[in-house]
Amino acid sequence: MTQLLESPETDIRVVEEQLPAGLRHLTDIFLTLNERGIRYCHWKSNVRLAESLEGLTDLDLLVDRTDAAHFQQVLLAHKVKPTLAAPGKDYPGVEHYLGFDSSSGRMFHLHVHYHLILGEQFVKNYRLPLEQQFLDSSWLKHGVKIPAPELELTVLALRALLKYRDRDAVSSLIRSDDQGGLPDAVIKEFRFLLNQTDRSRLAQVLDEQVPFMPNDLILDVIEAVNRPRINGRELFRLRRQILQALAPYQRFSRLQARLRYYRATVSGSRLLKKGRRFRRSPKQRQRLVSGGLALAIAGADGAGKSTVVRESVRWLSWRLTVSVYYLGSSQPGRTAAALKQGARLLGKAHAGARRLISQQNFLARLLWRGRMLIKNLSYVAVGRDRYHRFVAGQKLANNGAIVIYDRYPLPCLSVNGRPADGPRIAYANPLPLGRFTARLAQMEEDYYRRIPEPENLMILRVSPEVSLARKPDHSRQEIEAKCLAIEHIEAGDSELILIDADLPLEQVLSQVKTNLWQLL
């Protein structure tokens, strides 16, 4: 193992390195923190620090609580947004933030710790009194302050054994593997840190800065992991000793911690009934402190609306709770689907009766009237589906999620005199309407009337020429009518976002992400 580099005057290590090609916005934040002398360090997983600076993995920052207000001011100045932890992952002394790098279109996620909280999944039952030691030993790597490798290695040994489960030891014995049930990433991180120190230096740091933990215990863990063949039985024994040594630093008793773990495990894998089928409950991610929001996305054919919706969800759902609600008619509910199928069958029967008998025949007229009745009922069912999906989306948005509506009914969006995604009965039936048909039309319009203008509306504007080039099988007249209608949409009470969808997809998505980030 190589000897550590040390400054001759202080214990703070400073290494001058060329910065990796990280996210510019993220590296600017660290430059500001360093210039203002804010006490922080990236306290774990520094083996992946370069990847974290690219926004590929989370950054775990330990911040001196006396500098908390100054630290938060820096994040606010850089438009980094606070978020609420995902359910079951809310721990004291830990905050969460999301930032956005416009040049790359990537988000980055900061776990900000004011206490060193660690331990088993879903519980994090231990708080280590090592915050000041980590901050005092910090040195610069890739422009980011990180702790002394001896301290990071010590805490890695504790983290690895606290997460080590009984079944990991049993599995390693049954399979006779060389890793003792430890993940590859943990072993790689151990060896990365071991290459930066030696046993004598580690023993000195343990003796001077980690008084609550027996030195030999940490050294035994590190030695066990550094062997060519890791013994799961030995790790199991060392874990028991670590749990005893850390008993004074528990947040809950062992029994309480175990119950919390099992409760979170059962809750996370809960099965929800959907019709006659069961499915796993959707994964809950973080939510914005500023609350949720709903966004409707509209655009003519060829504007790339489906792609924009899909990519927006993929981008946002990296860390946030996002749902998409399709309000169009091509994905009807069960009732609407059954009625549509009935209308199709009656339509075929009517066509057959016209060919075999005559259009004026009583049976043909009866089939036509039955078809129109069933079709009108399907329009009402579609309106009801759209309203219920809108309500379901609003409930999620009111609870902090981001909701994206596709094919949102917009009264101001009319094509050839008919609402593009609105009531149909009054436009599909001969005038004047009969009493029963008028009643159905009123029921349908009531559903649409109860869907207000969207809170936020994103319009993908595309020219007829580009739209036709992307959708050559579509009617030019229909394309031109839709593009003209989109061009003249008025905002009303909505926050209107205009996107130039004639541009290449990469540039369109860049516009979308930048505008979405401003909304969050």
Side-chain angles (χ1 to χ4, degrees), residues 229-408:
R229 183 179 178 83
I230 302 172
N231 189 316
R233 186 182 291 106
E234 183 180 11
L235 293 180
F236 185 78
R237 175 182 60 81
L238 291 170
R239 186 193 71 163
R240 186 170 60 250
Q241 297 178 33
I242 283 176
L243 291 174
Q244 292 173 354
L246 290 178
Y249 304 97
Q250 293 181 121
R251 298 172 53 228
F252 311 103
S253 69
R254 291 290 305 282
L255 177 59
Q256 288 175 314
R258 187 62 61 89
L259 291 174
R260 283 175 173 264
Y261 173 80
Y262 287 134
R263 184 163 60 245
T265 302
V266 171
S267 175
S269 61
R270 185 176 65 249
L271 292 177
L272 299 181
K273 188 173 182 181
K274 186 178 182 181
R276 296 184 178 180
R277 297 175 298 169
F278 287 85
R279 62 178 175 84
R280 288 194 178 275
S281 57
K283 184 175 181 179
Q284 295 295 304
R285 294 179 172 85
Q286 297 177 35
R287 299 178 186 235
L288 293 164
V289 170
S290 56
L293 63 86
L295 169 72
I297 299 180
D301 297 332
K305 182 165 55 66
S306 298
T307 302
V308 165
V309 170
R310 182 179 65 250
E311 291 300 311
S312 297
V313 171
R314 185 186 63 81
W315 175 65
L316 290 168
S317 61
W318 180 61
R319 281 295 177 268
L320 295 171
T321 302
V322 184
S323 289
V324 176
Y325 281 86
Y326 179 78
L327 303 189
S329 59
S330 61
Q331 296 178 13
R334 289 182 178 180
T335 301
L339 289 169
K340 282 189 172 185
Q341 181 64 20
R344 280 194 291 269
L345 292 176
L346 287 173
K348 291 180 180 180
H350 172 249
R354 286 170 52 194
R355 288 195 302 270
L356 295 175
I357 310 174
S358 72
Q359 186 170 351
Q360 301 302 321
N361 182 272
F362 172 76
L363 178 60
R365 294 200 306 272
L366 183 63
L367 288 171
W368 180 82
R369 289 177 181 175
R371 173 179 175 271
M372 292 304 298
L373 172 62
I374 299 300
K375 196 170 186 179
N376 290 337
L377 287 171
S378 75
Y379 289 147
V380 175
V382 166
R384 185 190 62 179
D385 289 344
R386 283 173 159 165
Y387 171 70
H388 287 164
R389 290 172 186 172
F390 160 75
V391 170
Q394 289 304 112
K395 287 180 179 178
L396 283 181
N398 293 338
N399 280 288
I402 298 171
V403 174
I404 296 178
Y405 289 114
D406 189 2
R407 298 297 296 267
Y408 195 97

Side-chain angles (χ1 to χ4, degrees), residues 15-36:
V15 176
E16 294 295 336
E17 301 183 23
Q18 183 178 1
L19 294 182
L23 303 183
R24 185 70 258 172
H25 195 72
L26 188 54
T27 54
D28 285 345
I29 291 173
F30 285 114
L31 286 172
T32 303
L33 293 174
N34 296 338
E35 290 171 356
R36 297 190 182 182

Side-chain angles (χ1 to χ4, degrees), residues 145-162:
K145 292 181 182 180
I146 65 172
E150 297 81 16
L151 288 172
E152 187 177 353
L153 183 57
T154 298
V155 171
L156 175 61
L158 298 177
R159 288 170 50 218
L161 269 293
L162 289 174

Side-chain angles (χ1 to χ4, degrees), residues 173-193:
L173 294 174
I174 294 174
R175 293 186 288 113
S176 299
D177 65 11
D178 294 337
Q179 299 185 178
L182 289 177
D184 291 336
V186 171
I187 297 173
K188 178 181 178 181
E189 191 171 352
F190 263 105
R191 291 171 182 170
F192 168 80
L193 293 169

